C-alpha cells in the first residue's frame, strides 16, 4: 500500500513538472522512424506514455513473480505447520512421560520426528521411555537414530546411553561408554562423576581411588555421598590388602588415607583388627586410644578390650581415665572388666562386669563373668547361673557358644541338675 501511494506521488510530481516544461518551452515533438514507417508525436505525450508503460510493466512483473512464488509459499506454509505439530508432539510427549504413560509418550515422540528440528531430543526422550518399559533393544535403536540425526552430539547421546545403562545395571557396558566419552572429552566433569558411580558399583576400588580426588576437587558429589563412596573405596582396598597379609602395603594404605577418613569408625575398626591379627597390639592400642580420646564410640571401646598390650596394667589404667566422662556406660564397664581379666585382677573384673550388667544386661558380659567364675575363681554354680542368664539374651551363634560352655561344666556340678534348665530355655 505504501509503495502504491509512493508511485502515485511520483507520477503526480512528474505530471506537474512536464506541464510546467510544456508551458514555458512548448510541447516539442518526437519522431520514430523504422523502414518506411515513421511516427511523430509530441514530446509531452511520449514522456507520459513511457511513464505509464514503465509502471504497468513494473506491476505486471510483480504480479507474475508472486504467481510463480505460490508453490514455494505453500510449501513453506506446509513445512511450518509440520514443524509446529512436531514441537507440540515433543511437548505432549514430555508431559506423558512426566505422568508415567511411557508407551503413549514413546509413540507421540516418534510420530512427527521426521518433521522436527529437535529430532535429537525426540529420540533421546523416546529412548528413556523405552528404557522405563524394559524395551532395551528399542532403546538402543533410538540412540542409534539420534546419532544419525545429529552426528556431532556424541557427548549428549553417550551420556544418555551411559545413564540408561547404569539404570539397567549394565555396568560393564556403561563403563565402556564412559571410557569412550572420556577420550572425546577428558575433562568432562559429569562423565567423571558417572565413572565414579560405575567403579563403585563394580567394586573397582583401585580405579575409584584415582578418581576420588578429582571428584572432591570439582564438587561432583555432595559431601555425604562422597564420604560414603570414599569409605567404601578404602574399606575395599583394606580388605584387598589384608587378604594378602602384607603389613607393609596395608600400613602404607593407612598412611595415605586422608585425615578425615582416619576418623571414620568403619575404617579404623578394619585397620585395628588387622593390627591385632598381625600381633601388633601395641600399635593398635595407640591408634585406638588416640581416637577414643577425641571421639567416643562404644563399638570401638569394646574393640579396645580385645587388644592385648605388652603391659596390661598400663592399658587398663589408660582405659579407666575414660570413666571420668562415661562412668555409667555399660560398654566401657564391660571393656574394663575384660581388661581386668587380662591383668589378672579377678575381683575388680567381677565388680566392673556386674556394674555393666546392672546398667544394661548384655550376653557378652554374662559370658565373661561365667568364664571367670568357671576358669579363674572355681565357682561352677555361679558360672552356670551366668550361662543361663546370658543364654536368655543370646541368639544364633551366641546361643551355641553358651550351650557348649554350660554343658562342659562337669567337674563340680551335677550334670543332670544343672543342664536341664538350660536345655529347657533352648527348647
Amino acid at each position: 500500500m505504501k509503495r502504491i501511494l509512493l508511485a502515485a506521488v511520483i507520477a503526480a510530481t512528474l505530471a506537474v513538472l512536464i506541464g510546467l516544461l510544456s508551458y514555458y518551452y512548448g510541447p516539442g515533438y518526437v519522431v520514430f522512424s523504422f523502414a518506411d514507417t515513421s511516427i511523430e508525436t509530441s514530446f509531452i505525450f511520449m514522456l507520459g506514455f513511457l511513464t505509464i508503460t514503465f509502471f504497468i510493466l513494473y506491476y505486471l512483473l510483480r504480479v507474475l513473480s508472486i504467481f510463480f512464488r505460490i508453490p514455494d509459499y505453500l510449501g513453506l506454509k506446509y513445512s511450518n505447520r509440520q514443524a509446529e505439530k512436531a514441537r507440540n508432539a515433543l511437548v505432549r510427549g514430555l508431559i506423558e512421560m512426566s505422568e508415567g504413560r511411557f508407551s503413549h509418550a514413546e509413540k507421540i515422540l516418534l510420530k512427527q520426528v521426521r518433521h522436527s528440528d529437535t529430532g535429537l531430543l525426540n529420540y533421546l526422550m523416546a529412548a528413556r521411555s523405552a528404557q522405563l518399559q524394559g524395551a532395551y533393544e528399542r532403546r538402543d535403536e533410538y540412540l542409534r537414530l539420534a546419532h544419525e540425526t545429529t552426528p556431532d552430539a556424541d557427548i549428549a547421546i553417550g551420556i544418555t546411553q551411559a545413564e540408561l545403562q547404569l539404570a539397567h545395571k549394565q555396568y560393564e557396558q556403561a563403563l565402556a561408554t564412559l571410557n569412550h566419552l572420556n577420550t572425546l572429552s577428558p575433562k568432562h566433569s559429569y562423565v567423571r562423576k558417572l565413572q565414579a558411580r560405575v567403579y563403585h558399583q563394580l567394586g573397582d576400588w583401585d580405579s575409584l581411588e584415582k578418581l576420588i580426588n578429582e571428584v572432591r576437587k570439582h564438587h561432583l558429589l555432595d559431601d555425604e555421598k562422597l564420604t560414603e563412596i570414599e569409605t567404601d573405596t578404602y574399606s575395599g582396598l583394606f580388605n584387598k590388602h589384608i587378604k594378602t597379609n602384607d603389613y607393609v602395603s596395608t600400613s602404607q594404605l593407612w598412611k595415605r588415607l586422608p585425615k578425615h577418613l582416619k576418623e571414620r569408625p568403619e575404617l579404623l575398626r578394619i585397620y585395628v583388627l588387622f593390627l591385632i591379627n598381625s600381633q601388633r597390639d601395641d600399635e593398635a592400642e595407640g591408634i585406638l586410644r588416640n581416637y577414643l580420646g577425641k571421639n567416643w564410640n562404644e563399638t570401638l571401646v569394646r574393640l579396645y578390650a580385645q587388644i592385648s598390650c605388652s603391659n596390661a596394667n598400663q592399658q587398663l589404667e589408660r582405659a579407666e581415665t575414660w570413666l571420668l566422662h562415661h562412668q555409667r556406660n555399660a560398654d566401657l564397664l564391660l571393656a574394663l572388666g575384660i581388661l581386668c581379666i587380662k591383668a589378672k585382677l579377678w575381683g575388680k573384673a567381677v565388680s566392673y562386669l556386674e556394674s555393666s550388667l546392672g546398667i544394661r544386661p548384655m550376653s557378652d558380659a554374662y559370658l565373661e563373668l561365667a568364664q571367670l567364675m568357671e576358669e579363674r575363681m572355681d565357682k561352677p554354680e555361679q558360672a552356670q547361673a551366668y550361662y543361663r542368664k546370658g543364654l536368655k539374651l543370646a541368639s544364633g551363634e551366641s546361643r551355641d557358644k553358651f550351650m557348649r560352655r554350660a554343658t562342659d561344666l562337669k567337674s563340680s556340678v551335677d550334670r543332670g541338675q544343672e543342664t536341664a534348665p538350660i536345655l529347657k530355655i533352648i527348647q
Side-chain angles (χ1 to χ4, degrees):
M1 186 66 182
K2 290 181 179 180
R3 291 181 179 180
I4 294 175
L5 291 175
L6 179 63
V9 170
I10 292 173
T13 303
L14 289 174
V16 171
L17 289 174
I18 292 171
L20 291 174
L21 288 172
S22 63
Y23 177 77
Y24 286 106
Y25 300 104
Y29 68 93
V30 176
V31 177
F32 292 95
S33 176
F34 181 75
D36 296 332
T37 304
S38 62
I39 299 175
E40 182 177 344
T41 183
S42 67
F43 175 76
I44 299 300
F45 176 82
M46 189 61 192
L47 190 60
F49 175 78
L50 290 175
T51 302
I52 293 171
T53 301
F54 169 78
F55 281 107
I56 290 174
L57 290 175
Y58 173 77
Y59 282 103
L60 179 61
L61 292 174
R62 289 290 305 275
V63 171
L64 289 174
S65 67
I66 292 173
F67 177 77
F68 286 117
R69 285 204 306 268
I70 287 177
D72 294 335
Y73 174 77
L74 294 177
L76 180 62
K77 290 287 288 183
Y78 176 77
S79 298
N80 289 339
R81 284 198 303 272
Q82 293 299 107
E84 182 66 23
K85 288 181 180 180
R87 286 190 291 271
N88 292 336
L90 176 61
V91 173
R92 290 200 310 273
L94 294 175
I95 292 173
E96 293 294 320
M97 281 188 66
S98 301
E99 294 178 353
R101 292 189 283 270
F102 305 117
S103 176
H104 195 203
E106 181 183 351
K107 294 177 182 178
I108 292 175
L109 288 166
L110 297 174
K111 187 175 182 180
Q112 298 290 334
V113 68
R114 290 180 301 173
H115 307 290
S116 175
D117 54 1
T118 59
L120 172 64
L121 188 57
N122 285 62
Y123 282 124
L124 292 181
M125 292 301 102
R128 291 187 182 275
S129 297
Q131 165 92 2
L132 293 169
Q133 297 173 74
Y136 306 114
E137 291 184 1
R138 290 209 308 272
R139 174 201 69 185
D140 294 337
E141 176 64 15
Y142 296 148
L143 291 172
R144 185 187 66 79
L145 292 171
H147 187 269
E148 288 184 358
T149 302
T150 315
D152 296 334
D154 285 335
I155 300 295
I157 297 169
I159 287 176
T160 301
Q161 184 175 14
E163 287 177 335
L164 296 177
Q165 289 169 336
L166 264 170
H168 187 43
K169 299 183 179 180
Q170 295 175 305
Y171 301 125
E172 297 290 349
Q173 295 90 326
L175 182 59
T177 302
L178 292 168
N179 287 340
H180 173 66
L181 291 176
N182 194 47
T183 60
L184 297 177
S185 181
K187 296 183 179 180
H188 199 293
S189 59
Y190 189 63
V191 171
R192 305 298 273 173
K193 177 180 177 179
L194 292 178
Q195 279 184 313
R197 284 180 55 190
V198 174
Y199 287 139
H200 185 243
Q201 293 294 337
L202 291 173
D204 187 349
W205 310 122
D206 292 301
S207 299
L208 185 53
E209 185 187 16
K210 297 174 184 176
L211 269 181
I212 281 178
N213 290 333
E214 185 175 345
V215 171
R216 178 175 287 280
K217 179 181 178 181
H218 294 96
H219 305 286
L220 303 182
L221 293 170
D222 61 79
D223 290 340
E224 182 178 352
K225 184 63 177 178
L226 179 58
T227 301
E228 176 188 339
I229 289 178
E230 286 178 322
T231 302
D232 290 345
T233 299
Y234 285 103
S235 294
L237 289 172
F238 271 121
N239 290 326
K240 177 182 176 181
H241 285 283
I242 287 170
K243 286 179 180 178
T244 64
N245 199 28
D246 186 350
Y247 170 75
V248 175
S249 64
T250 307
S251 61
Q252 287 176 347
L253 176 61
W254 174 259
K255 289 177 182 178
R256 75 169 183 263
L257 198 68
K259 183 178 179 180
H260 69 281
L261 291 178
K262 288 183 177 180
E263 297 181 353
R264 296 291 297 179
E266 307 95 313
L267 298 175
L268 185 63
R269 182 176 182 278
I270 292 173
Y271 187 58
V272 168
L273 282 173
F274 167 73
L275 293 175
I276 294 172
N277 293 331
S278 302
Q279 297 181 346
R280 298 176 182 272
D281 294 77
D282 288 343
E283 183 180 349
E285 189 274 337
I287 292 174
L288 196 52
R289 172 166 44 86
N290 290 334
Y291 175 83
L292 291 171
K294 303 174 184 177
N295 309 279
W296 189 250
N297 184 290
E298 294 178 347
T299 301
L300 295 180
V301 167
R302 296 177 68 169
L303 177 61
Y304 185 81
Q306 297 180 29
I307 300 173
S308 298
C309 287
S310 55
N311 191 330
N313 288 302
Q314 188 179 57
Q315 182 183 2
L316 174 61
E317 291 174 2
R318 290 169 175 170
E320 285 179 326
T321 61
W322 299 330
L323 285 171
L324 181 63
H325 300 291
H326 308 282
Q327 59 184 352
R328 288 190 56 79
N329 186 284
D331 293 283
L332 175 57
L333 292 170
L334 171 59
L336 291 173
I338 295 172
L339 291 174
C340 285
I341 293 172
K342 291 181 178 182
K344 299 181 180 180
L345 303 173
W346 317 131
K348 197 173 184 179
V350 171
S351 176
Y352 277 132
L353 292 172
E354 288 181 342
S355 297
S356 175
L357 289 169
I359 296 171
R360 188 174 81 244
M362 292 182 286
S363 61
D364 290 352
Y366 280 119
L367 180 60
E368 293 293 339
L369 262 176
Q371 291 175 341
L372 180 59
M373 293 299 173
E374 175 191 354
E375 299 171 0
R376 302 298 181 184
M377 303 183 73
D378 194 22
K379 295 181 180 180
E381 292 86 355
Q382 291 187 33
Q384 280 286 354
Y386 285 130
Y387 279 131
R388 285 196 297 270
K389 290 179 180 179
L391 199 58
K392 292 179 181 179
L393 294 175
S395 61
E397 294 181 0
S398 298
R399 290 178 65 88
D400 295 337
K401 183 189 297 184
F402 274 103
M403 188 60 190
R404 287 194 301 270
R405 296 292 302 182
T407 53
D408 284 342
L409 272 175
K410 302 176 181 179
S411 59
S412 58
V413 178
D414 178 60
R415 179 180 176 85
Q417 292 178 349
E418 293 297 333
T419 57
I422 301 173
L423 294 174
K424 185 177 180 181
I425 292 172
I426 297 175
Q427 292 171 353

